[in-house]
Coordinates of all heavy atoms in Angstrom, one line a residue:
M1 N -30.2 3.9 -34.5 CA -29.3 3.4 -33.5 C -29.5 1.9 -33.5 O -30.6 1.4 -33.3 CB -29.4 4.0 -32.2 CG -28.4 3.5 -31.2 SD -28.5 4.3 -29.6 CE -27.7 5.9 -30.0
K2 N -28.4 1.1 -33.7 CA -28.5 -0.4 -33.7 C -28.1 -0.9 -32.3 O -27.2 -0.4 -31.7 CB -27.6 -1.0 -34.7 CG -27.9 -0.5 -36.1 CD -29.1 -1.3 -36.6 CE -29.4 -0.9 -38.1 NZ -30.5 -1.5 -38.6
F3 N -28.8 -1.9 -31.8 CA -28.4 -2.5 -30.6 C -28.1 -4.0 -30.8 O -28.6 -4.6 -31.7 CB -29.6 -2.5 -29.6 CG -29.9 -1.1 -29.1 CD1 -30.8 -0.3 -29.8 CD2 -29.3 -0.6 -28.0 CE1 -31.0 1.0 -29.3 CE2 -29.6 0.6 -27.5 CZ -30.4 1.5 -28.2
I4 N -27.2 -4.5 -29.9 CA -26.9 -6.0 -30.0 C -27.3 -6.6 -28.6 O -27.1 -5.9 -27.6 CB -25.5 -6.3 -30.4 CG1 -24.5 -5.7 -29.4 CG2 -25.2 -5.8 -31.8 CD1 -23.1 -6.2 -29.5
N5 N -27.7 -7.8 -28.7 CA -28.0 -8.6 -27.4 C -26.7 -9.1 -26.8 O -25.9 -9.8 -27.5 CB -28.9 -9.7 -27.8 CG -29.5 -10.4 -26.6 OD1 -28.9 -10.4 -25.5 ND2 -30.5 -11.2 -26.8
V6 N -26.5 -8.7 -25.5 CA -25.3 -9.2 -24.8 C -25.7 -10.2 -23.8 O -24.9 -10.5 -22.9 CB -24.5 -8.0 -24.2 CG1 -23.9 -7.1 -25.3 CG2 -25.4 -7.2 -23.3
G7 N -26.9 -10.8 -23.9 CA -27.3 -11.8 -23.0 C -28.4 -11.5 -22.1 O -28.5 -10.3 -21.6
F8 N -29.3 -12.4 -21.9 CA -30.4 -12.3 -21.0 C -31.3 -11.1 -21.2 O -31.8 -10.5 -20.3 CB -29.9 -12.3 -19.5 CG -29.0 -13.5 -19.2 CD1 -27.7 -13.3 -19.1 CD2 -29.6 -14.8 -19.1 CE1 -26.9 -14.4 -18.8 CE2 -28.8 -15.8 -18.8 CZ -27.4 -15.7 -18.7
G9 N -31.5 -10.8 -22.5 CA -32.3 -9.7 -22.9 C -31.7 -8.3 -22.8 O -32.4 -7.3 -22.9
N10 N -30.5 -8.2 -22.4 CA -29.8 -6.9 -22.3 C -29.2 -6.5 -23.6 O -28.6 -7.3 -24.3 CB -28.7 -7.0 -21.2 CG -29.3 -7.4 -19.9 OD1 -30.1 -6.7 -19.3 ND2 -28.9 -8.6 -19.4
M11 N -29.3 -5.2 -23.9 CA -28.9 -4.7 -25.2 C -27.8 -3.6 -25.0 O -27.9 -2.9 -24.0 CB -30.1 -4.2 -26.0 CG -31.2 -5.1 -26.1 SD -30.9 -6.5 -27.1 CE -31.4 -6.0 -28.6
V12 N -26.9 -3.5 -25.9 CA -25.9 -2.4 -25.9 C -25.9 -1.7 -27.3 O -26.0 -2.4 -28.3 CB -24.5 -3.0 -25.6 CG1 -23.4 -1.9 -25.7 CG2 -24.5 -3.6 -24.2
A13 N -25.8 -0.4 -27.3 CA -25.8 0.3 -28.6 C -24.5 0.0 -29.3 O -23.4 0.1 -28.8 CB -25.8 1.8 -28.3
L14 N -24.6 -0.5 -30.5 CA -23.5 -1.0 -31.3 C -22.5 0.2 -31.6 O -21.3 -0.1 -31.5 CB -24.0 -1.5 -32.6 CG -23.0 -2.2 -33.6 CD1 -22.3 -3.4 -32.9 CD2 -23.6 -2.6 -34.9
E15 N -22.9 1.4 -31.8 CA -22.0 2.5 -32.1 C -21.2 2.9 -30.9 O -20.2 3.6 -31.1 CB -22.9 3.7 -32.5 CG -23.6 3.5 -33.8 CD -25.0 3.0 -33.5 OE1 -25.6 3.3 -32.4 OE2 -25.6 2.2 -34.4
R16 N -21.6 2.6 -29.7 CA -20.9 3.0 -28.5 C -19.8 2.0 -28.1 O -18.9 2.4 -27.2 CB -21.9 3.1 -27.3 CG -23.1 4.0 -27.5 CD -22.7 5.4 -27.7 NE -22.0 6.1 -26.7 CZ -22.5 6.9 -25.7 NH1 -23.8 7.1 -25.7 NH2 -21.7 7.4 -24.8
I17 N -19.7 0.9 -28.7 CA -18.7 -0.1 -28.3 C -17.3 0.2 -28.9 O -17.2 0.5 -30.1 CB -19.1 -1.5 -28.8 CG1 -20.4 -2.0 -28.1 CG2 -18.0 -2.6 -28.6 CD1 -21.0 -3.3 -28.5
V18 N -16.3 0.3 -28.0 CA -15.0 0.6 -28.4 C -14.1 -0.7 -28.5 O -13.4 -0.9 -29.4 CB -14.3 1.6 -27.4 CG1 -12.8 1.8 -27.8 CG2 -15.0 2.9 -27.4
A19 N -14.3 -1.6 -27.5 CA -13.5 -2.8 -27.5 C -14.4 -3.9 -26.9 O -15.3 -3.7 -26.0 CB -12.3 -2.6 -26.6
L20 N -14.1 -5.1 -27.4 CA -14.7 -6.4 -26.9 C -13.6 -7.3 -26.6 O -12.9 -7.8 -27.5 CB -15.6 -6.9 -28.0 CG -16.3 -8.3 -27.8 CD1 -17.2 -8.2 -26.6 CD2 -17.1 -8.7 -29.0
V21 N -13.4 -7.6 -25.3 CA -12.2 -8.4 -24.9 C -12.6 -9.5 -24.0 O -13.6 -9.5 -23.3 CB -11.2 -7.5 -24.2 CG1 -10.6 -6.5 -25.2 CG2 -11.7 -6.8 -23.0
S22 N -11.7 -10.5 -23.9 CA -11.8 -11.6 -23.0 C -11.4 -11.2 -21.6 O -10.4 -10.4 -21.4 CB -10.9 -12.8 -23.5 OG -10.9 -13.8 -22.5
P23 N -12.0 -11.7 -20.5 CA -11.7 -11.2 -19.2 C -10.5 -12.0 -18.5 O -10.2 -11.8 -17.4 CB -13.0 -11.5 -18.4 CG -13.5 -12.7 -19.1 CD -13.2 -12.5 -20.6
D24 N -9.8 -12.8 -19.3 CA -8.8 -13.7 -18.7 C -7.4 -13.0 -18.4 O -6.7 -13.4 -17.5 CB -8.5 -14.9 -19.6 CG -9.8 -15.7 -19.8 OD1 -10.6 -15.7 -18.9 OD2 -10.0 -16.3 -20.9
S25 N -7.1 -12.0 -19.1 CA -5.7 -11.4 -18.9 C -5.7 -10.5 -17.7 O -6.7 -9.9 -17.3 CB -5.3 -10.6 -20.1 OG -6.1 -9.4 -20.3
A26 N -4.5 -10.4 -17.1 CA -4.3 -9.6 -15.9 C -4.7 -8.1 -16.1 O -5.3 -7.5 -15.2 CB -2.9 -9.7 -15.4
P27 N -4.3 -7.5 -17.2 CA -4.7 -6.1 -17.4 C -6.2 -5.8 -17.5 O -6.7 -4.8 -16.9 CB -4.0 -5.7 -18.8 CG -2.9 -6.6 -18.9 CD -3.4 -7.9 -18.3
I28 N -6.9 -6.8 -18.1 CA -8.4 -6.6 -18.1 C -9.0 -6.8 -16.8 O -9.9 -6.1 -16.4 CB -9.0 -7.6 -19.2 CG1 -8.5 -7.3 -20.6 CG2 -10.5 -7.5 -19.1 CD1 -8.7 -5.8 -21.0
K29 N -8.4 -7.8 -16.0 CA -8.9 -8.0 -14.6 C -8.7 -6.7 -13.8 O -9.6 -6.4 -13.0 CB -8.2 -9.2 -14.0 CG -8.6 -10.5 -14.6 CD -7.9 -11.7 -13.9 CE -8.3 -13.0 -14.5 NZ -7.6 -14.1 -14.0
R30 N -7.6 -6.1 -14.0 CA -7.3 -4.8 -13.2 C -8.3 -3.7 -13.7 O -8.8 -3.0 -12.9 CB -5.9 -4.4 -13.4 CG -4.9 -5.0 -12.5 CD -3.5 -4.3 -12.6 NE -3.0 -4.2 -13.9 CZ -2.2 -5.2 -14.4 NH1 -1.9 -6.3 -13.7 NH2 -1.7 -5.0 -15.6
L31 N -8.5 -3.7 -15.0 CA -9.4 -2.7 -15.5 C -10.8 -2.9 -14.9 O -11.5 -1.9 -14.5 CB -9.5 -2.8 -17.1 CG -10.5 -1.9 -17.7 CD1 -10.0 -0.4 -17.8 CD2 -10.9 -2.4 -19.1
V32 N -11.3 -4.1 -14.9 CA -12.6 -4.4 -14.3 C -12.7 -4.0 -12.9 O -13.6 -3.4 -12.4 CB -13.0 -5.9 -14.6 CG1 -14.2 -6.3 -13.8 CG2 -13.2 -6.2 -16.1
Q33 N -11.7 -4.4 -12.1 CA -11.6 -4.1 -10.7 C -11.6 -2.6 -10.4 O -12.3 -2.1 -9.6 CB -10.5 -4.8 -10.0 CG -10.5 -4.7 -8.5 CD -11.8 -5.2 -7.9 OE1 -12.2 -6.4 -8.2 NE2 -12.5 -4.5 -7.1
D34 N -10.8 -1.9 -11.2 CA -10.7 -0.4 -11.0 C -12.0 0.2 -11.4 O -12.5 1.2 -10.7 CB -9.6 0.2 -11.9 CG -8.2 -0.2 -11.4 OD1 -8.1 -0.7 -10.3 OD2 -7.2 0.0 -12.2
S35 N -12.7 -0.3 -12.4 CA -14.0 0.2 -12.8 C -15.0 0.0 -11.8 O -15.9 0.8 -11.6 CB -14.4 -0.3 -14.2 OG -13.4 0.0 -15.2
K36 N -15.0 -1.2 -11.2 CA -15.9 -1.5 -10.1 C -15.7 -0.5 -8.9 O -16.7 -0.1 -8.4 CB -15.7 -2.9 -9.6 CG -16.3 -4.0 -10.5 CD -16.1 -5.4 -9.8 CE -16.7 -6.5 -10.7 NZ -16.5 -7.8 -10.2
D37 N -14.5 -0.3 -8.6 CA -14.2 0.7 -7.5 C -14.7 2.1 -7.8 O -15.2 2.8 -6.9 CB -12.7 0.7 -7.2 CG -12.2 -0.6 -6.7 OD1 -13.0 -1.4 -6.2 OD2 -10.9 -0.8 -6.8
E38 N -14.7 2.5 -9.1 CA -15.2 3.8 -9.5 C -16.7 3.8 -9.9 O -17.2 4.9 -10.2 CB -14.4 4.3 -10.7 CG -12.9 4.5 -10.4 CD -12.1 4.7 -11.7 OE1 -12.6 4.9 -12.8 OE2 -10.8 4.7 -11.5
G39 N -17.3 2.7 -9.8 CA -18.8 2.6 -10.1 C -19.1 2.7 -11.6 O -20.1 3.2 -12.0
R40 N -18.2 2.3 -12.5 CA -18.4 2.3 -13.9 C -18.7 1.0 -14.6 O -18.5 0.8 -15.8 CB -17.2 3.0 -14.6 CG -16.9 4.4 -14.2 CD -15.8 5.0 -15.0 NE -14.5 4.4 -14.7 CZ -13.7 3.8 -15.5 NH1 -14.0 3.7 -16.8 NH2 -12.6 3.3 -15.1
V41 N -19.0 0.0 -13.8 CA -19.3 -1.4 -14.3 C -20.8 -1.6 -14.3 O -21.5 -1.3 -13.4 CB -18.6 -2.4 -13.4 CG1 -19.0 -3.8 -13.8 CG2 -17.1 -2.3 -13.6
I42 N -21.2 -2.2 -15.5 CA -22.6 -2.7 -15.6 C -22.4 -4.2 -15.8 O -21.9 -4.7 -16.7 CB -23.3 -2.1 -16.8 CG1 -23.3 -0.6 -16.6 CG2 -24.7 -2.7 -17.0 CD1 -23.9 0.1 -17.9
D43 N -22.9 -5.0 -14.8 CA -22.8 -6.4 -14.8 C -24.1 -7.0 -15.3 O -25.1 -7.0 -14.6 CB -22.5 -6.9 -13.4 CG -22.2 -8.4 -13.3 OD1 -22.4 -9.1 -14.3 OD2 -21.8 -8.8 -12.2
V44 N -24.1 -7.6 -16.5 CA -25.3 -8.2 -17.1 C -25.2 -9.7 -17.2 O -25.8 -10.4 -18.0 CB -25.7 -7.6 -18.4 CG1 -26.0 -6.1 -18.3 CG2 -24.6 -7.8 -19.4
T45 N -24.3 -10.3 -16.3 CA -24.1 -11.8 -16.3 C -25.2 -12.6 -15.6 O -25.2 -13.8 -15.7 CB -22.7 -12.1 -15.6 OG1 -22.8 -11.7 -14.3 CG2 -21.6 -11.4 -16.4
C46 N -26.0 -11.9 -14.8 CA -27.1 -12.6 -14.0 C -26.5 -13.7 -13.1 O -27.0 -14.8 -13.0 CB -28.1 -13.2 -15.0 SG -29.1 -11.9 -15.8
G47 N -25.3 -13.4 -12.5 CA -24.7 -14.3 -11.6 C -23.9 -15.4 -12.3 O -23.3 -16.2 -11.6
R48 N -23.7 -15.4 -13.5 CA -22.9 -16.4 -14.2 C -21.5 -15.9 -14.4 O -21.2 -14.7 -14.1 CB -23.6 -16.7 -15.6 CG -24.8 -17.5 -15.4 CD -25.5 -17.8 -16.7 NE -26.6 -18.7 -16.6 CZ -27.8 -18.3 -16.2 NH1 -28.0 -17.1 -15.8 NH2 -28.8 -19.2 -16.1
R49 N -20.6 -16.8 -14.9 CA -19.2 -16.4 -15.1 C -19.1 -15.4 -16.2 O -19.8 -15.5 -17.3 CB -18.5 -17.7 -15.5 CG -17.0 -17.5 -15.8 CD -16.4 -18.8 -16.1 NE -15.1 -18.6 -16.6 CZ -14.6 -19.1 -17.7 NH1 -15.3 -20.0 -18.4 NH2 -13.4 -18.8 -18.1
T50 N -18.2 -14.4 -16.0 CA -18.0 -13.4 -17.0 C -17.1 -14.0 -18.2 O -16.0 -14.5 -17.9 CB -17.2 -12.2 -16.4 OG1 -18.1 -11.6 -15.4 CG2 -17.0 -11.1 -17.5
R51 N -17.6 -13.9 -19.4 CA -16.9 -14.4 -20.5 C -16.5 -13.4 -21.5 O -15.7 -13.6 -22.5 CB -17.8 -15.5 -21.2 CG -18.0 -16.7 -20.4 CD -18.9 -17.7 -21.0 NE -19.1 -18.8 -20.2 CZ -18.6 -20.0 -20.4 NH1 -17.9 -20.3 -21.4 NH2 -18.9 -21.0 -19.5
A52 N -17.1 -12.2 -21.4 CA -16.7 -11.1 -22.3 C -16.8 -9.7 -21.5 O -17.6 -9.6 -20.6 CB -17.6 -11.0 -23.5
V53 N -15.9 -8.8 -21.8 CA -15.9 -7.5 -21.3 C -16.0 -6.5 -22.4 O -15.2 -6.6 -23.4 CB -14.6 -7.2 -20.5 CG1 -14.5 -5.8 -20.0 CG2 -14.4 -8.2 -19.4
I54 N -17.0 -5.7 -22.3 CA -17.3 -4.7 -23.4 C -16.9 -3.3 -22.8 O -17.4 -2.9 -21.8 CB -18.8 -4.7 -23.8 CG1 -19.2 -6.1 -24.3 CG2 -19.1 -3.7 -24.9 CD1 -20.6 -6.4 -24.4
I55 N -16.1 -2.6 -23.6 CA -15.7 -1.3 -23.1 C -16.4 -0.3 -24.1 O -16.3 -0.4 -25.3 CB -14.2 -1.1 -23.2 CG1 -13.6 -2.2 -22.2 CG2 -13.8 0.3 -22.7 CD1 -12.1 -2.3 -22.3
T56 N -17.0 0.7 -23.5 CA -17.8 1.7 -24.4 C -17.0 3.0 -24.5 O -16.0 3.3 -23.7 CB -19.2 2.0 -23.8 OG1 -19.0 2.6 -22.5 CG2 -20.0 0.7 -23.6
D57 N -17.4 3.9 -25.4 CA -16.8 5.2 -25.5 C -17.0 6.1 -24.4 O -16.3 7.1 -24.2 CB -17.2 5.8 -26.9 CG -18.7 6.0 -26.9 OD1 -19.4 5.6 -26.0 OD2 -19.1 6.6 -27.9
S58 N -18.0 5.8 -23.5 CA -18.3 6.6 -22.3 C -17.5 6.1 -21.1 O -17.9 6.4 -20.0 CB -19.8 6.7 -22.1 OG -20.3 5.5 -21.9
E59 N -16.6 5.2 -21.4 CA -15.7 4.5 -20.3 C -16.5 3.6 -19.4 O -16.0 3.4 -18.3 CB -14.9 5.6 -19.6 CG -14.0 6.4 -20.4 CD -13.1 7.4 -19.6 OE1 -13.3 7.5 -18.4 OE2 -12.3 8.1 -20.3
L60 N -17.7 3.2 -19.8 CA -18.4 2.2 -19.0 C -17.8 0.8 -19.4 O -17.4 0.6 -20.5 CB -19.9 2.2 -19.3 CG -20.7 3.3 -18.8 CD1 -22.1 3.3 -19.3 CD2 -20.6 3.3 -17.3
V61 N -17.8 -0.1 -18.4 CA -17.3 -1.5 -18.6 C -18.5 -2.4 -18.4 O -19.1 -2.4 -17.3 CB -16.2 -1.8 -17.7 CG1 -15.8 -3.2 -17.8 CG2 -15.0 -0.9 -17.9
I62 N -18.9 -3.2 -19.4 CA -20.0 -4.1 -19.3 C -19.5 -5.5 -19.3 O -18.7 -5.9 -20.2 CB -21.0 -3.8 -20.6 CG1 -21.4 -2.4 -20.6 CG2 -22.2 -4.8 -20.5 CD1 -22.1 -2.0 -21.9
L63 N -20.0 -6.2 -18.3 CA -19.6 -7.6 -18.1 C -20.7 -8.5 -18.7 O -21.9 -8.4 -18.3 CB -19.3 -8.0 -16.7 CG -18.4 -7.0 -15.9 CD1 -18.3 -7.5 -14.5 CD2 -17.0 -7.0 -16.6
S64 N -20.4 -9.5 -19.6 CA -21.4 -10.3 -20.2 C -21.0 -11.8 -20.0 O -19.8 -12.1 -19.9 CB -21.5 -10.0 -21.7 OG -22.4 -10.9 -22.3
A65 N -22.0 -12.6 -19.9 CA -21.8 -14.1 -19.7 C -21.7 -14.8 -21.1 O -21.6 -16.0 -21.2 CB -23.0 -14.7 -18.9
I66 N -21.8 -14.0 -22.2 CA -21.8 -14.6 -23.5 C -20.3 -14.4 -24.0 O -19.7 -13.4 -23.8 CB -22.7 -13.9 -24.5 CG1 -24.2 -14.1 -24.0 CG2 -22.5 -14.3 -25.9 CD1 -25.2 -13.5 -24.9
Q67 N -19.8 -15.4 -24.7 CA -18.4 -15.4 -25.2 C -18.2 -14.3 -26.2 O -19.1 -13.8 -26.9 CB -18.1 -16.7 -25.9 CG -18.1 -17.9 -24.9 CD -17.6 -19.2 -25.5 OE1 -17.6 -19.3 -26.7 NE2 -17.2 -20.1 -24.7
T68 N -17.0 -13.8 -26.3 CA -16.6 -12.7 -27.1 C -16.9 -13.0 -28.6 O -17.3 -12.1 -29.3 CB -15.1 -12.3 -27.0 OG1 -14.3 -13.5 -27.2 CG2 -14.8 -11.8 -25.6
E69 N -16.6 -14.2 -29.0 CA -16.8 -14.6 -30.4 C -18.3 -14.5 -30.8 O -18.6 -14.0 -31.9 CB -16.4 -16.1 -30.7 CG -14.9 -16.3 -30.5 CD -14.4 -16.5 -29.1 OE1 -15.3 -16.7 -28.2 OE2 -13.2 -16.5 -28.8
T70 N -19.2 -14.9 -29.9 CA -20.6 -14.8 -30.1 C -21.1 -13.4 -30.3 O -21.8 -13.0 -31.2 CB -21.4 -15.5 -29.0 OG1 -20.9 -16.8 -28.8 CG2 -22.9 -15.5 -29.3
I71 N -20.6 -12.5 -29.4 CA -20.9 -11.1 -29.5 C -20.4 -10.5 -30.8 O -21.0 -9.7 -31.5 CB -20.5 -10.3 -28.2 CG1 -21.2 -10.8 -27.0 CG2 -20.7 -8.8 -28.4 CD1 -20.7 -10.3 -25.7
A72 N -19.1 -10.8 -31.1 CA -18.5 -10.3 -32.3 C -19.3 -10.8 -33.6 O -19.5 -10.0 -34.5 CB -17.1 -10.8 -32.4
N73 N -19.8 -12.0 -33.6 CA -20.6 -12.5 -34.7 C -21.9 -11.7 -34.8 O -22.4 -11.4 -35.9 CB -20.9 -14.0 -34.6 CG -19.7 -14.8 -34.8 OD1 -18.7 -14.4 -35.5 ND2 -19.7 -16.0 -34.3
R74 N -22.5 -11.4 -33.6 CA -23.7 -10.6 -33.6 C -23.4 -9.2 -34.1 O -24.3 -8.6 -34.9 CB -24.3 -10.5 -32.2 CG -24.9 -11.8 -31.8 CD -25.4 -11.8 -30.4 NE -25.8 -13.1 -30.0 CZ -26.3 -13.4 -28.8 NH1 -26.4 -12.4 -27.9 NH2 -26.7 -14.6 -28.5
M75 N -22.3 -8.6 -33.8 CA -21.9 -7.3 -34.3 C -21.7 -7.3 -35.8 O -22.1 -6.4 -36.5 CB -20.6 -6.8 -33.6 CG -20.8 -6.5 -32.1 SD -19.2 -6.2 -31.3 CE -18.7 -4.7 -32.0
D76 N -21.0 -8.4 -36.3 CA -20.8 -8.5 -37.7 C -22.1 -8.7 -38.5 O -22.3 -8.1 -39.5 CB -19.9 -9.7 -38.0 CG -18.5 -9.4 -37.7 OD1 -18.1 -8.2 -37.6 OD2 -17.7 -10.4 -37.5
S77 N -23.0 -9.5 -37.9 CA -24.3 -9.7 -38.6 C -25.1 -8.4 -38.7 O -25.8 -8.2 -39.6 CB -25.1 -10.9 -38.0 OG -25.5 -10.5 -36.7
D78 N -25.1 -7.6 -37.6 CA -25.8 -6.3 -37.6 C -25.2 -5.4 -38.6 O -25.9 -4.7 -39.4 CB -25.7 -5.7 -36.2 CG -26.9 -6.1 -35.4 OD1 -27.8 -6.8 -35.9 OD2 -26.9 -5.6 -34.2
S79 N -23.9 -5.4 -38.8 CA -23.3 -4.4 -39.7 C -23.5 -4.9 -41.2 O -23.7 -4.2 -42.1 CB -21.8 -4.3 -39.5 OG -21.1 -5.5 -39.7
D80 N -23.6 -6.3 -41.4 CA -23.9 -6.8 -42.7 C -25.3 -6.4 -43.1 O -25.5 -6.1 -44.2 CB -23.8 -8.4 -42.7 CG -22.3 -8.8 -42.6 OD1 -21.4 -8.0 -42.8 OD2 -22.1 -10.0 -42.3
T81 N -26.3 -6.5 -42.2 CA -27.7 -6.2 -42.6 C -27.8 -4.7 -42.8 O -28.5 -4.2 -43.7 CB -28.7 -6.6 -41.5 OG1 -28.3 -6.0 -40.2 CG2 -28.7 -8.1 -41.3
E82 N -27.0 -3.9 -42.1 CA -27.0 -2.4 -42.3 C -26.4 -2.1 -43.7 O -26.9 -1.3 -44.4 CB -26.1 -1.8 -41.2 CG -26.1 -0.3 -41.3 CD -25.3 0.3 -40.1 OE1 -25.7 0.1 -39.0 OE2 -24.3 1.0 -40.5
D83 N -25.3 -2.8 -44.1 CA -24.8 -2.6 -45.4 C -25.8 -3.0 -46.5 O -25.9 -2.3 -47.5 CB -23.5 -3.5 -45.6 CG -22.4 -2.9 -44.8 OD1 -22.4 -1.8 -44.3 OD2 -21.4 -3.7 -44.5
E84 N -26.5 -4.1 -46.3 CA -27.5 -4.5 -47.3 C -28.6 -3.5 -47.4 O -29.1 -3.2 -48.5 CB -28.1 -5.9 -46.9 CG -27.1 -7.0 -47.1 CD -27.6 -8.3 -46.5 OE1 -28.8 -8.4 -46.0 OE2 -26.8 -9.3 -46.5
E85 N -29.1 -2.9 -46.3 CA -30.1 -1.9 -46.3 C -29.7 -0.7 -47.0 O -30.4 -0.1 -47.8 CB -30.5 -1.6 -44.9 CG -31.3 -2.7 -44.1 CD -31.5 -2.4 -42.7 OE1 -31.0 -1.3 -42.2 OE2 -32.1 -3.2 -42.0
T86 N -28.4 -0.3 -46.9 CA -27.9 0.9 -47.6 C -27.8 0.6 -49.1 O -28.1 1.5 -49.9 CB -26.5 1.2 -47.0 OG1 -26.5 1.4 -45.6 CG2 -25.9 2.4 -47.7
E87 N -27.4 -0.6 -49.5 CA -27.3 -0.9 -50.9 C -28.7 -0.9 -51.5 O -28.9 -0.5 -52.6 CB -26.7 -2.3 -51.1 CG -25.2 -2.3 -50.8 CD -24.6 -3.7 -50.9 OE1 -25.3 -4.6 -51.3 OE2 -23.4 -3.9 -50.5
E88 N -29.7 -1.4 -50.8 CA -31.1 -1.4 -51.3 C -31.6 0.0 -51.4 O -32.4 0.2 -52.4 CB -32.0 -2.3 -50.3 CG -31.7 -3.7 -50.4 CD -32.5 -4.5 -49.3 OE1 -33.3 -3.9 -48.6 OE2 -32.3 -5.7 -49.2
E89 N -31.3 0.9 -50.5 CA -31.7 2.2 -50.6 C -31.1 3.0 -51.8 O -31.7 3.8 -52.4 CB -31.4 3.0 -49.3 CG -32.2 2.6 -48.1 CD -31.8 3.2 -46.9 OE1 -30.8 4.1 -46.9 OE2 -32.3 2.9 -45.8
N90 N -29.9 2.6 -52.2 CA -29.2 3.3 -53.2 C -29.6 2.8 -54.6 O -29.4 3.5 -55.6 CB -27.7 3.1 -53.1 CG -27.1 3.8 -51.9 OD1 -27.7 4.8 -51.5 ND2 -26.0 3.3 -51.4
T91 N -30.3 1.6 -54.7 CA -30.7 1.1 -56.0 C -32.1 1.6 -56.4 O -32.8 2.2 -55.8 CB -30.7 -0.4 -56.0 OG1 -31.6 -0.9 -55.0 CG2 -29.3 -0.9 -55.9

């Protein structure tokens, strides 16, 4: 199982992530508020501004203070290293 850092030493399982979105749009703001009301939010911003919203396959909503592009780059770099490891095993 691969994990990615979503800020301040907090990690999320890469395979569980369904969507990575910006918190600026009204539908995402409603989603976050509804999830807070239902107790399905994990806030890992450490009091800072929310810059990314991560939605998991278990319907948890994770709020991160790291920008969506940064998290996406970390996801890509993890999948690239996984592909390289698979190629090395096959040779």
Side-chain angles (χ1 to χ4, degrees):
M1 182 176 284
K2 300 284 183 180
F3 289 91
I4 60 165
N5 186 341
V6 292
F8 306 105
N10 299 295
M11 309 293 268
V12 175
L14 186 61
E15 299 89 30
R16 304 298 301 261
I17 295 175
V18 174
L20 174 62
V21 294
S22 173
D24 298 330
S25 69
I28 298 302
K29 288 179 182 179
R30 276 193 303 273
L31 173 79
V32 169
Q33 188 58 49
D34 292 346
S35 298
K36 281 183 181 179
D37 294 342
E38 296 171 7
R40 294 184 294 120
V41 169
I42 300 173
D43 187 352
V44 297
T45 61
C46 292
R48 290 178 173 78
R49 179 174 168 232
T50 300
R51 294 178 183 250
V53 177
I54 302 166
I55 302 169
T56 66
D57 58 356
S58 58
E59 297 182 1
L60 288 174
V61 176
I62 302 168
L63 308 178
S64 175
I66 295 180
Q67 293 184 342
T68 55
E69 294 85 10
T70 305
I71 296 172
N73 289 337
R74 291 177 184 179
M75 291 170 68
D76 286 341
S77 67
D78 268 355
S79 63
D80 289 344
T81 56
E82 185 177 299
D83 291 341
E84 290 172 5
E85 290 171 359
T86 304
E87 287 176 11
E88 290 174 3
E89 290 173 3
N90 291 336
T91 56

